[in-house]
């Protein structure tokens, strides 16, 4: 497995502002992903963070709203831009090495007021 | 459309019993199957992975896969109150990304 940390663990933000979430892994990983989990719901993949190139976004998610960076093999950021109350959710970073298994960070609980 | 279906529960079992959690998936090209446990307020934790038809055992957990029936299950033997959580089934079709089910809530009563 991998030790994954996320910052911040939680935040309360005003409508219209932006928040950047950081994900740090204790060792190099091939794949990094960003998910959203809304209350009582399952996990929805936002995008795959690609090292050295633009992220690959899933249907319904766009770069202007959720810009992602991945400058190296151990670190990624997700920004939630121009937030609205509908963006209130838990945001999760996930990583995978060469194999299939994916591991999740502790998550960032975001509340937009 | 890739779908992973789970009964939302709650599935209630007494302590010491076997809990059986089920999952069906729609994409016949799926190659990798996972079970995650998620405690309330926590992130998902990987507990089992299975890639071939049949059973795979790890301690009190057994994952069962039947690709012909597009069915994967998780058995928890000697269930404990600490097993009370939501169990997420996840499926990977080929080299695509994981698709998660909505999860089954398990309640183990003392």
């Amino acid at each position: 497995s991998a030790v994954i940390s996320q910052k911040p663990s939680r935040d309360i933000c005003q409508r219209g502002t932006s928040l950047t979430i950081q994900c740090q892994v204790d060792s190099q990983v091939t794949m990094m992903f960003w998910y959203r989990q809304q209350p009582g719901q399952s996990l929805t993949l936002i995008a795959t963070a690609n090292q050295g190139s633009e992220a690959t976004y899933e249907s319904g998610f766009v770069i202007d709203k959720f810009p992602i960076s991945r400058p190296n093999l151990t670190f990624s950021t997700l920004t939630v831009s121009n937030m609205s109350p509908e963006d209130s959710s838990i945001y999760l970073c996930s990583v995978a090495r060469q194999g299939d298994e994916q591991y999740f960070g502790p998550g960032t609980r975001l509340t937009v007021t | 459309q890739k779908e992973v279906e789970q009964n939302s529960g709650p599935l209630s079992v007494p302590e010491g019993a076997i809990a059986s959690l089920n999952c069906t998936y729609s994409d016949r090209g799926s190659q990798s199957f996972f079970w995650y446990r998620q405690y309330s307020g926590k992130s998902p934790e990987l507990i089992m992975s299975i890639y071939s038809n049949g059973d795979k055992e790890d301690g009190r957990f057994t994952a069962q896969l039947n690709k012909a029936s597009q069915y994967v299950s998780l058995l928890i033997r000697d269930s404990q109150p600490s097993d009370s959580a939501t169990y997420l089934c996840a499926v990977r079709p080929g080299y695509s990304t994981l698709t998660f089910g909505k999860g089954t809530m398990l309640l183990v009563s003392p």
Side-chain angles (χ1 to χ4, degrees), chain A residues 24-79:
Chain A
Q24 179 75 55
V25 193
D26 67 336
S27 58
Q28 293 184 347
V29 293
T30 309
M31 309 289 285
M32 294 184 79
F33 307 91
W34 287 99
Y35 286 82
R36 182 172 73 182
Q37 188 173 32
Q38 295 182 306
Q41 301 297 313
S42 189
L43 299 161
T44 301
L45 179 64
I46 297 171
T48 301
N50 300 309
Q51 195 263 330
S53 65
E54 193 172 287
T56 303
Y57 289 85
E58 297 298 305
S59 176
F61 297 96
V62 295
I63 187 171
D64 290 347
K65 176 68 175 177
F66 298 101
I68 288 171
S69 78
R70 190 176 174 194
N72 56 52
L73 293 177
T74 63
F75 185 79
S76 178
T77 66
L78 168 74
T79 299

Side-chain angles (χ1 to χ4, degrees), chain B residues 2-75:
Chain B
K2 306 164 191 172
E3 294 183 350
V4 177
E5 300 287 342
Q6 295 182 256
N7 188 319
S8 61
L11 172 66
S12 295
V13 300
E15 183 174 356
I18 297 175
S20 178
L21 303 159
N22 304 315
C23 172
T24 59
Y25 59 94
S26 62
D27 192 326
R28 284 195 171 274
S30 298
Q31 301 293 325
S32 309
F33 307 85
F34 307 90
W35 284 99
Y36 287 82
R37 177 176 62 199
Q38 186 172 25
Y39 292 113
S40 180
K42 301 294 186 181
S43 64
E45 173 192 8
L46 179 65
I47 55 173
M48 289 288 286
S49 59
I50 187 166
Y51 304 93
S52 304
N53 280 327
D55 294 359
K56 178 182 178 182
E57 186 174 318
D58 184 359
R60 295 187 296 111
F61 298 101
T62 299
Q64 298 176 318
L65 176 61
N66 184 325
K67 290 185 179 179
S69 300
Q70 295 175 242
Y71 178 94
V72 58
S73 65
L74 179 70
L75 302 178

Side-chain angles (χ1 to χ4, degrees), chain A residues 5-26:
Chain A
S5 61
Q6 283 186 236
K7 290 181 182 179
S9 59
R10 60 178 61 226
D11 207 342
I12 301 173
C13 300
Q14 299 272 0
R15 180 196 299 260
T17 62
S18 298
L19 175 71
T20 295
I21 303 167
Q22 298 179 3
C23 177
Q24 179 75 55
V25 193
D26 67 336

